Amino acid sequence: MLTSQTARCALRASRQLQCGRRFATAAAANNVVNIVEVGPRDGLQNEKGVIPVDVKVELINRLARAGAQNIETGSFVSPKWVPQMGGTAEVITRMERLPDVHYAVLVPNQKGLDNLFTLLDQTQLSPPVSDEISIFTAATDAFTRANLNTTITESLQRLEPVARAALDRGLRVRGYVSVAIACPYSGPVDFKRVREVAKALADMGCYEVSLGDTVGQGTPATVAEMIEEVKKSVPVEKLAGHFHDTYGTAVANVFAALAQGIRTIDSSVGGLGGCPYSPGATGNVATEDVLYALKDSQYKIAGSNNKTISLDDTVNIGWWISEKLGRESVSRAGRALRARKLREERERKAKL
Ligand SMILES: CC(C)(COP(=O)([O-])OP(=O)([O-])OC[C@H]1O[C@@H](n2cnc3c(N)ncnc32)[C@H](O)[C@@H]1OP(=O)([O-])[O-])[C@@H](O)C(=O)NCCC(=O)NCCSC(=O)C[C@@](C)(O)CC(=O)[O-]
């Protein structure tokens, strides 16, 4: 008979195998790019006005129906720190859950995980309201202090039991290293530190570690240099790129990451976003811009149900959510494609 510890190890190993499936597929077809849609979380967390739960639910549902396979739906962080994410439990309880889609929530500590577990116990839905958590820390103490009120070392110590408990419960665990290029508080970042933190997250069971250019200051050269360094300790199949577009280099940085062998890119519909603890940083690379830029390339975008993510639908969602927020979509491709569509409609009507 297996001891409970051996049983736990076996369970964890089988889960890691399942989590690894996506990577095995991507590695076999080396041109398959996975998109992690972070709009509902990273995209909305910095918004000042109250966004109704209905709008958040509708955003997630629209993204899933457009083919998004991985959606970060919200955060179980302190509502005092990030008020906009306060309604995440209600959002994920009310959203549709398509079977082929992974729905993740950001969790900063044990309390956040306990809150998620309570919700999983209460709802007991199949598929569950969330099958993945994202844990996060950073490559500088200054940023970790601002974002998590602790140091890098302490944050890793706190996250290790959180990751273990989530894995034991059958959830996938993804990790983030913020400020992988530059820190808004302490300047240029030592890429060796990024490597160490990424390795620590991978060692605690994260199936993937997303390297965040939180400030959006990266260039293709610095992004490539950083990834080269991290690859010394973490296999590239386990890495993802997360680029903010503050300096307009995000799409170029996506290509630099792909050239380094990375096959998972985080992006945000409509280019929404910004981190509350990264002053001045703009949104993530827009999902529409990534889909458009990769359209005629050797890369194929993975979507749910063996389809791809619809560019047209994503453009429409980018405009829909931006208008709900009282502005226009900042996605370059989203703006151009919408302008072309409106022009074509005008021309068609003029011919009638
Ligand atoms: C981690 C803490 C909570 C520490 O914050 P703290 O103040 O040190 O926490 P504490 O343990 O001292 O607790 C203080 C109060 O918060 C409560 N609390 C404690 N934990 C939770 C929780 N999980 N959920 C709800 N409530 C919580 C706790 O119960 C207590 O309540 P009180 O007794 O005062 O009434 C805080 O720093 C925090 O929530 N930070 C999150 C900040 C955040 O969400 N940042 C944005 C996400 S990261 C990001 O955007 C970057 C990324 C991932 O996209 C990649 C990139 O671009 O770089």
Side-chain angles (χ1 to χ4, degrees):
M1 204 168 84
L2 291 173
T3 64
S4 63
Q5 199 184 356
T6 325
R8 252 204 320 274
C9 285
L11 189 67
R12 205 176 301 158
S14 104
R15 255 174 231 136
Q16 288 303 312
L17 208 67
Q18 281 175 16
C19 292
R21 241 189 256 143
R22 181 172 117 199
F23 302 104
T25 314
N30 195 27
N31 60 349
V32 175
V33 175
N34 296 294
I35 300 287
V36 177
E37 173 58 60
V38 295
R41 195 279 302 170
D42 208 359
L44 298 185
Q45 68 184 7
N46 211 20
E47 290 293 325
K48 298 288 172 276
V50 178
I51 304 168
V53 169
D54 284 352
V55 171
K56 294 178 180 173
V57 169
E58 182 68 20
L59 174 62
I60 295 165
N61 291 347
R62 285 182 185 223
L63 289 165
R65 290 185 213 139
Q69 212 174 10
N70 309 282
I71 306 177
E72 220 172 55
T73 55
S75 310
F76 278 77
V77 297
S78 163
K80 285 183 196 150
W81 282 65
V82 185
Q84 195 58 259
M85 291 289 109
T88 293
E90 194 184 345
V91 170
I92 65 175
T93 310
R94 287 178 42 193
M95 72 190 180
E96 288 171 359
R97 293 172 318 286
L98 303 189
D100 196 32
V101 178
H102 294 291
Y103 296 97
V105 286
L106 202 73
V107 165
N109 57 9
Q110 189 62 47
K111 168 127 191 170
L113 189 71
D114 291 345
N115 290 345
L116 174 63
F117 280 1
T118 304
L119 191 69
L120 290 174
D121 291 339
Q122 280 167 357
T123 51
Q124 296 201 345
L125 295 165
S126 180
V129 289
S130 180
D131 63 344
E132 174 169 329
I133 64 162
S134 316
I135 56 177
F136 57 105
T137 183
T140 69
D141 278 321
F143 190 83
T144 315
R145 178 64 65 198
N147 201 30
L148 284 166
N149 198 22
T150 187
T151 61
I152 301 173
T153 306
E154 280 168 11
S155 73
L156 291 170
Q157 284 165 358
R158 284 183 200 175
L159 291 175
E160 202 276 333
V162 171
R164 198 168 349 109
L167 290 170
D168 284 347
R169 175 115 190 192
L171 302 178
R172 310 197 317 169
V173 181
R174 188 169 196 255
Y176 278 108
V177 185
S178 286
V179 294
I181 301 286
C183 174
Y185 309 105
S186 53
V189 165
D190 179 357
F191 297 154
K192 288 195 180 62
R193 200 75 183 108
V194 183
R195 167 157 66 99
E196 288 163 4
V197 177
K199 181 173 180 339
L201 288 169
D203 287 349
M204 63 176 80
C206 292
Y207 73 91
E208 184 167 272
V209 179
S210 178
L211 305 169
D213 179 14
T214 316
V215 187
Q217 218 169 291
T219 59
T222 53
V223 165
E225 196 189 329
M226 182 271 290
I227 296 169
E228 288 272 12
E229 182 63 32
V230 178
K231 282 197 298 189
K232 290 177 188 166
S233 295
V234 183
V236 73
E237 296 78 21
K238 285 192 154 214
L239 297 175
H242 180 107
F243 304 109
H244 286 258
D245 203 24
T246 319
Y247 288 77
T249 51
V251 169
N253 292 342
V254 167
F255 276 88
L258 294 174
Q260 285 296 320
I262 280 185
R263 290 292 178 269
T264 302
I265 299 296
D266 301 351
S267 62
S268 185
V269 67
L272 302 174
C275 175
Y277 301 100
S278 179
T282 61
N284 293 91
V285 65
T287 308
E288 303 90 304
D289 293 356
V290 177
L291 299 182
Y292 184 83
L294 295 184
K295 198 161 64 80
D296 303 315
S297 72
Q298 78 266 35
Y299 300 109
K300 301 275 166 277
I301 306 277
S304 54
N305 291 316
N306 293 323
K307 295 197 197 122
T308 191
I309 303 173
S310 160
L311 173 58
D312 283 350
D313 289 354
T314 309
V315 167
N316 291 339
I317 299 167
W319 274 97
W320 172 81
I321 186 64
S322 301
E323 284 166 1
K324 290 278 175 205
L325 299 173
R327 53 177 182 263
E328 298 191 338
S329 169
V330 298
S331 159
R332 300 290 293 267
R335 295 173 76 90
L337 288 167
R338 159 109 146 197
R340 192 169 77 190
K341 192 171 147 197
L342 293 175
R343 195 177 58 241
E344 284 168 359
E345 272 171 18
R346 270 198 310 274
E347 284 167 4
R348 217 180 8 255
K349 276 188 193 144
K351 278 190 198 147
L352 292 176

